[in-house]
Amino acid sequence: MEITEKFAAMIYLDYAATTPMWSEVIEEMTNGMKEYANPSAQYSCARKARALVDRARAEIAGLIRASRPGEIFFTSGGTESDDWAVIGAAESLPEDKRHIITSAYEHHAVLESMKELEKKGFSVSYLMPKKDGTISPDSVKKELREDTGLISIMLVNNETGALNDIGSISQIAHERNVIVHTDAVQAVGHIMVDVRELGVDILSASAHKFGGPKGMGFLYVREGTMLHKLHFGGSQERGMRPGTENVNGIAGMAAAMRLSCSGYEEELTRLSGLRDMLIEGIKDSGLRYVLNSDPENSVPYILNVSFPGFRSSVTVVRADMEGICISAGAACSAGTVGESHVIKSMSRPKEVLSSAVRFSLGRQNTEKDMIRVAGFLKKLAASR
Ligand SMILES: Cc1ncc(COP(=O)(O)O)c(C=O)c1O
């Protein structure tokens, strides 16, 4: 991947917020913008657009080991995918199955959908993570009730990188005929996401988290899963998600996924090395620190750490002054000054909660970046 000038000028450590697009994707999409036919039209140039959509669907289905391309539905991103999964699945449940299990640290796209369902009379249980930041399959089992119809637990937490054992959760759920959704937005394109191994019925993904365009995502829905639709209109996406397809975005997302998934294992090893360097830098900085990510149970590309004595927003601004982009939490809530609901769910003391920052790593980061960050942390410690 070529490093765009903008990203070369700074140390970008906010890949969980969004990722720079692959240069190959930018090129493909720039050319794609010259195509204008509606894929539903009858003439020959429209067939080219239709072929692009079909090819992208088949490619994405193959990359997550779906049984057939028809299990992939294109959406406008992770938020829409989550909303559709949660509301659509809940509304398809029978009257005697109106209990849902989720976690307290889901992305707001899931949590806000749950709130809507509560207003409609659904009962929702919010599980708390263990000390290591993961949701225990046992806690899911304990929470199951006769009327449980849906479980929605994220695969990778966007603030701590905690990696949940969704395979075991699905197994428990399916013994009781409960639908399982996972928000895999921070996993697809980074780690192996195999819907058969995960055993999930519904899975959400977002293209801009793996070097694709913003405003583009998909929902995997295992064949036979009951799911109501949220949009009404034409017959696109088999009538389930009407509206003229974003052909260029769809093709760009498939290309980004292909590029991200090829060689992901070596990339994970490389990122583990960088994450370990970052932890060493934190240890050597002289700062008081608390790791909110457990390296044993988290993906290597997200590290959340608190520096008690330095408010999150102060650390973020001071890092920015050194050309380092980090965040105080999820991008959609980072603009608002408040405490992270994720770190809060981990029952951390107040000073840990108010000083948490997230480093999220990606393809363009190097060892040199980690050395620069270590220097910044020493400077921060010296400023006390
Ligand atoms: C775990 C998770 N789910 C959902 C979303 C929402 O995705 P999008 O930005 O594509 O709407 C995000 C984005 O930050 C995320 O990290």
Side-chain angles (χ1 to χ4, degrees):
M1 188 203 288
E2 261 174 46
I3 298 178
T4 54
E5 247 173 68
K6 188 167 167 42
F7 281 92
M10 57 197 185
I11 296 176
Y12 185 71
L13 287 167
D14 203 16
Y15 280 78
T18 196
T19 56
M21 278 172 71
W22 292 89
S23 49
E24 293 90 330
V25 174
I26 294 175
E27 202 182 310
E28 192 165 326
M29 289 187 69
T30 306
N31 290 331
M33 275 192 273
K34 294 170 195 152
E35 304 286 340
Y36 48 81
N38 187 319
S40 299
Q42 300 298 310
Y43 30 83
S44 54
C45 63
R47 285 201 286 278
K48 191 174 163 199
R50 167 61 49 209
L52 278 175
V53 172
D54 291 347
R55 204 178 317 136
R57 197 187 309 279
E59 184 159 29
I60 290 170
L63 288 168
I64 61 166
R65 295 199 65 226
S67 300
R68 47 189 60 81
E71 293 179 324
I72 305 297
F73 293 87
F74 297 121
T75 67
S76 64
T79 299
E80 184 190 330
S81 293
D82 282 345
D83 290 0
W84 185 9
V86 172
I87 308 261
E91 287 188 342
S92 76
L93 294 170
E95 280 300 315
D96 59 345
K97 296 272 178 197
R98 289 170 75 85
H99 172 239
I100 303 171
I101 301 174
T102 189
S103 80
Y105 73 13
E106 294 297 309
H107 188 272
H108 283 111
V110 167
L111 292 177
E112 292 298 313
S113 297
M114 293 295 173
K115 273 196 208 161
E116 285 307 304
L117 290 171
E118 283 178 302
K119 284 183 208 158
K120 291 179 182 168
F122 285 84
S123 136
V124 183
S125 299
Y126 297 90
L127 301 178
M128 296 296 172
K130 294 189 292 176
K131 255 204 171 111
D132 66 8
T134 63
I135 303 295
S136 124
D138 269 351
S139 68
V140 174
K141 197 172 187 170
K142 280 195 197 117
E143 204 61 37
L144 275 176
R145 308 190 323 208
E146 274 305 308
D147 61 342
T148 306
L150 171 68
I151 294 174
S152 177
I153 305 281
M154 67 207 311
L155 182 50
V156 171
N157 183 274
N158 50 310
E159 292 192 36
T160 63
L163 177 61
N164 286 317
D165 180 1
I166 299 298
S168 297
I169 292 173
S170 296
Q171 221 168 359
I172 293 164
H174 289 155
E175 281 163 14
R176 305 276 287 268
N177 254 343
V178 174
I179 299 173
V180 180
H181 163 247
T182 193
D183 172 342
V185 165
Q186 295 289 347
V188 170
H190 298 275
I191 58 173
M192 169 53 82
V193 173
D194 176 334
V195 289
R196 296 184 202 186
E197 258 176 34
L198 292 172
V200 291
D201 302 297
I202 314 174
L203 176 143
S204 315
S206 173
H208 75 100
K209 306 290 184 177
F210 51 83
K214 293 176 181 60
M216 193 64 236
F218 69 87
L219 191 68
Y220 158 80
V221 185
R222 192 158 61 85
E223 197 174 30
T225 306
M226 292 296 290
L227 185 74
H228 279 193
K229 61 182 183 178
L230 300 192
H231 296 97
F232 300 88
S235 59
Q236 293 92 345
E237 299 297 286
R238 285 134 287 144
M240 290 296 284
R241 205 281 190 173
T244 302
E245 296 89 338
N246 175 359
V247 179
N248 202 30
I250 290 169
M253 173 165 68
M257 205 161 147
R258 182 193 326 131
L259 290 160
S260 300
C261 291
S262 85
Y264 80 93
E265 276 169 317
E266 297 92 90
E267 180 59 5
L268 279 178
T269 308
R270 193 185 74 86
L271 292 175
S272 287
L274 294 186
R275 189 257 320 260
D276 293 348
M277 267 184 87
L278 179 57
I279 294 176
E280 283 310 307
I282 291 167
K283 285 182 181 165
D284 289 348
S285 66
L287 286 165
R288 272 204 301 140
Y289 71 92
V290 176
L291 289 185
N292 300 312
S293 305
D294 173 6
E296 295 297 310
N297 294 290
S298 304
V299 293
Y301 45 90
I302 300 179
L303 184 76
N304 195 301
V305 57
S306 294
F307 299 114
F310 291 91
R311 289 185 64 81
S312 314
S313 53
V314 170
T315 309
V316 169
V317 170
R318 298 272 283 272
D320 187 32
M321 286 160 69
E322 303 284 326
I324 298 167
C325 307
I326 56 172
S327 78
C332 44
S333 47
T336 56
V337 183
E339 287 157 348
S340 150
H341 71 290
V342 175
I343 308 301
K344 207 173 206 164
S345 75
M346 295 169 75
S347 311
R348 296 289 206 241
K350 185 114 185 90
E351 60 169 5
V352 173
L353 184 57
S354 61
S355 62
V357 289
R358 176 184 69 185
F359 297 85
S360 50
L361 285 62
R363 298 200 176 247
Q364 296 177 345
N365 291 130
T366 61
E367 292 190 355
K368 236 163 104 182
D369 293 348
M370 298 307 115
I371 294 166
R372 279 250 322 258
V373 173
F376 157 67
L377 294 174
K378 276 196 173 141
K379 208 165 153 183
L380 187 66
S383 71
R384 299 209 66 191

